[in-house]
């Protein structure tokens, strides 16, 4: 996010690239992220390594900064974004996999929420810091910071961190020693097999969680593009729209840990099924919030609806993101990184797919009908999928 705000200026003013090049540059980051998440997910589970691959991703991030530092042509910017995307895909996949390695179901959602909390802060301050450095020192300013952050992360991983799989193994070994029946514990707690990504995608909890992440991230990214247009076109709010996203970011920042803790408490209270009740509630609340935004006739009502949407969106995303780790742990399979590579892909798919559809429909029909339709259809699918799984799970455990 450090470099996002300055790229259009670099491409159009310094390199003479057409405006269509901005979309290609954005897409290259997504391509790199998908490539990085799947390769790292498969490789990490296969070689049983998290920390070393995270250190490699830090080096890749610094390499992207070096490419950016010396970039003078359009293709070099494309290369920079591709490498940056690969580093981000690896880092996100293995970060969530590391959390899933260590924490049980009733603690996982809050830890996922903390990661999302930090991510939200980075998304808020990253573009501001990057733009200030660009204004002071040109491309070399933010490029040098990218290089430095990559090296700083590398040193921090080397000095302060342990591999999450080593921690997981140590915890299980202590539990094994304390178990009354060693042979029974060994059979029930050792990871028995690996699941391929296609096989993981056939598991109901993974399917539902993937649908929820695509839906929540897709609608969020769509509204980030449509709300500023709607504020100007229909509500005559032509003042600085930055305050709109400050409000949204503030709600996200405050509510992320609360939703995470609430999800863990529900699971501890009533079991894993509550995760799907939470996602179903989030889907219904998302539709209601978008409906409120569509019917708003003032900026204040619009912001109430947008804040409500932020909470509803988290109620879908946080339980879904933590579900991958819980499923892998419950299935006793060595596929944690593969599972979270699917979640990162779902995130990228949502960010790429729904915003262009929303923008095209907005230009033809305005804000209300497209936003309601695009929110209602995937949310209804998610809610129905959650309900069917809840019914199936109850019948299974009768």
């Amino acid at each position: 996010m450090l470099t996002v705000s300055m790229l259009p200026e670099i491409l159009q003013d310094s390199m003479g690239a057409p405006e269509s090049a901005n979309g290609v540059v954005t897409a290259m980051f997504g391509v790199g992220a998908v490539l990085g998440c799947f390769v790292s997910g498969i490789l990490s589970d296969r070689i049983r390594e998290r920390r070393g691959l995270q250190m490699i991703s830090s080096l890749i991030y610094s390499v992207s900064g070096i490419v950016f530092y010396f970039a003078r042509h359009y293709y070099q910017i494309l290369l920079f974004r591709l490498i940056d995307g690969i580093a981000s895909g690896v880092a996100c996949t293995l970060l969530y996999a590391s959390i899933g390695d260590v924490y049980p179901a009733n603690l996982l959602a809050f830890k996922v929420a903390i990661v999302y909390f930090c991510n939200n802060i980075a998304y808020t301050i990253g573009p501001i810091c990057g733009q200030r450095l660009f204004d002071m020192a040109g491309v070399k300013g933010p490029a040098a910071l990218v290089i430095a952050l990559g090296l700083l992360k590398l040193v921090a991983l080397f000095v302060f961190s342990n591999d999450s799989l080593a921690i997981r193994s140590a915890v299980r070994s202590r539990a094994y020693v304390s178990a009354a029946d060693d042979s029974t514990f060994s059979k029930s707690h050792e990871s028995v097999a690996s699941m391929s990504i296609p096989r993981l995608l056939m598991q109901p909890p993974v399917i539902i969680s993937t649908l929820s992440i695509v839906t929540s991230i897709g609608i969020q990214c769509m509204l980030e593009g449509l709300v500023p247009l709607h504020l100007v076109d229909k509500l005559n709010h032509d003042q600085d729209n930055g305050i709109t996203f400050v409000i949204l970011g503030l709600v996200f920042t405050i509510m992320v840990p609360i939703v995470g803790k609430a999800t863990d408490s529900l699971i501890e209270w009533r079991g894993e099924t509550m995760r799907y009740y939470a996602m179903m509630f989030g889907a219904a609340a998302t539709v209601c919030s978008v409906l409120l935004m569509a019917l708003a006739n003032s900026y204040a009502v619009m912001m109430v609806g947008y804040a409500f949407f932020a909470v509803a969106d988290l109620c879908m995303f946080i339980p879904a993101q933590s579900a991958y780790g819980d499923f892998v742990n419950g299935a006793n399979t060595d596929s944690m990184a593969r599972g979270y590579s699917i979640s990162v892909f779902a995130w990228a798919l949502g960010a790429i797919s729904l915003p262009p559809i929303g923008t095209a429909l907005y230009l033809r029909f305005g804000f209300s009908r497209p936003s309601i339709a695009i929110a209602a259809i995937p949310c209804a699918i998610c809610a129905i999928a959650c309900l069917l799984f809840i019914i199936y799970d109850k019948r299974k455990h009768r």
Side-chain angles (χ1 to χ4, degrees):
M1 294 303 294
L2 277 170
T3 59
V4 168
S5 62
M6 69 200 68
L7 285 177
E9 183 177 348
I10 294 171
L11 290 169
Q12 274 76 64
D13 296 347
S14 302
M15 298 181 177
E19 291 186 356
S20 59
N22 298 342
V24 179
V25 168
T26 301
M28 286 302 290
F29 181 87
V31 171
V34 170
L35 180 63
C37 75
F38 281 130
V39 171
S40 64
I42 295 170
L43 184 61
S44 179
D45 282 338
R46 184 164 296 174
I47 68 175
R48 306 290 297 159
E49 177 68 40
R50 304 276 195 258
R51 179 170 171 258
L53 292 176
Q54 280 278 35
M55 293 170 70
I56 291 173
S57 77
S58 302
L59 286 174
I60 295 173
Y61 190 63
S62 292
V63 169
S64 74
I66 294 172
V67 172
F68 190 46
Y69 189 92
F70 292 104
R72 299 294 181 270
H73 304 283
Y74 173 53
Y75 76 88
Q76 292 171 322
I77 297 295
L78 289 177
L79 180 62
F80 155 65
R81 291 292 284 171
L82 177 66
I83 298 172
D84 191 28
I86 291 172
S88 296
V90 174
C92 288
T93 298
L94 298 183
L95 175 59
Y96 284 115
S98 297
I99 295 172
D101 287 335
V102 176
Y103 292 100
N106 63 329
L107 298 176
L108 194 54
F110 182 68
K111 303 305 182 293
V112 166
I114 293 300
V115 173
Y116 194 72
F117 172 84
C118 296
N119 182 76
N120 191 59
I121 292 176
Y123 268 69
T124 302
I125 67 174
I128 299 172
C129 295
Q131 187 64 50
R132 291 291 178 87
L133 286 171
F134 179 74
D135 293 339
M136 291 188 296
V139 171
K140 294 183 178 180
L145 183 57
V146 170
I147 297 169
L149 288 175
L151 295 175
L152 179 63
K153 180 187 171 187
L154 175 65
V155 172
L157 284 167
F158 181 78
V159 175
F160 299 110
S161 72
N162 293 319
D163 195 291
S164 61
L165 289 173
I167 299 173
R168 179 189 183 95
S169 178
V171 170
R172 291 192 170 195
S173 295
R174 286 196 294 269
Y176 176 84
V177 170
S178 63
D181 186 347
D182 290 352
S183 60
T184 301
F185 181 86
S186 176
K187 289 179 181 178
S188 63
H189 288 77
E190 290 288 329
S191 294
V192 295
S194 293
M195 284 190 186
S196 65
I197 289 176
R199 188 179 171 194
L200 280 168
L201 282 168
M202 295 174 63
Q203 309 304 314
V206 176
I207 294 172
I208 295 170
S209 299
T210 301
L211 282 173
S212 294
I213 290 176
V214 171
T215 300
S216 64
I217 297 299
I219 295 174
Q220 178 186 338
C221 292
M222 178 194 72
L223 291 177
E224 286 173 357
L226 297 189
V227 167
L229 297 175
H230 181 61
L231 290 176
V232 173
D233 295 342
K234 293 299 181 180
L235 300 182
N236 298 318
H237 184 83
D238 54 359
Q239 302 173 13
D240 181 16
N241 284 322
I243 188 62
T244 300
F245 294 104
V246 170
I247 294 172
L248 183 68
L250 184 62
V251 175
F252 269 121
T253 301
I254 294 172
M255 294 304 300
V256 159
I258 296 175
V259 172
K261 190 64 176 178
T263 301
D264 283 342
S265 298
L266 287 172
I267 292 171
E268 187 173 13
W269 174 47
R270 300 290 291 179
E272 173 62 22
T273 307
M274 295 305 297
R275 187 187 307 278
Y276 301 94
Y277 279 109
M279 285 190 275
M280 190 163 57
F281 167 78
T286 295
V287 175
C288 292
S289 66
V290 173
L291 181 62
L292 177 60
M293 294 170 68
L295 297 176
N297 56 7
S298 68
Y299 179 74
V301 176
M302 187 74 175
M303 285 298 93
V304 171
Y306 212 2
F308 180 29
F309 165 78
V311 179
D313 191 60
L314 289 173
C315 290
M316 289 186 70
F317 177 81
I318 296 298
Q321 187 74 350
S322 58
Y324 294 92
D326 186 56
F327 169 76
V328 170
N329 285 328
N332 276 348
T333 178
D334 278 337
S335 303
M336 187 68 73
R338 288 184 180 96
Y340 276 111
S341 71
I342 295 172
S343 80
V344 174
F345 172 74
W347 191 320
L349 181 62
I352 292 171
S353 59
L354 293 188
I357 297 173
T359 301
L361 292 176
Y362 175 86
L363 295 175
R364 185 176 179 86
F365 300 107
F367 179 80
S368 298
R369 285 184 291 173
S371 60
I372 293 172
I374 293 175
I377 294 172
C379 284
I381 294 172
C382 288
I384 292 171
C386 289
L387 181 60
L388 291 175
F389 182 79
I390 291 169
I391 294 171
Y392 165 78
D393 187 68
K394 285 186 176 181
R395 289 185 176 181
K396 181 180 177 181
H397 292 93
R398 277 181 179 177

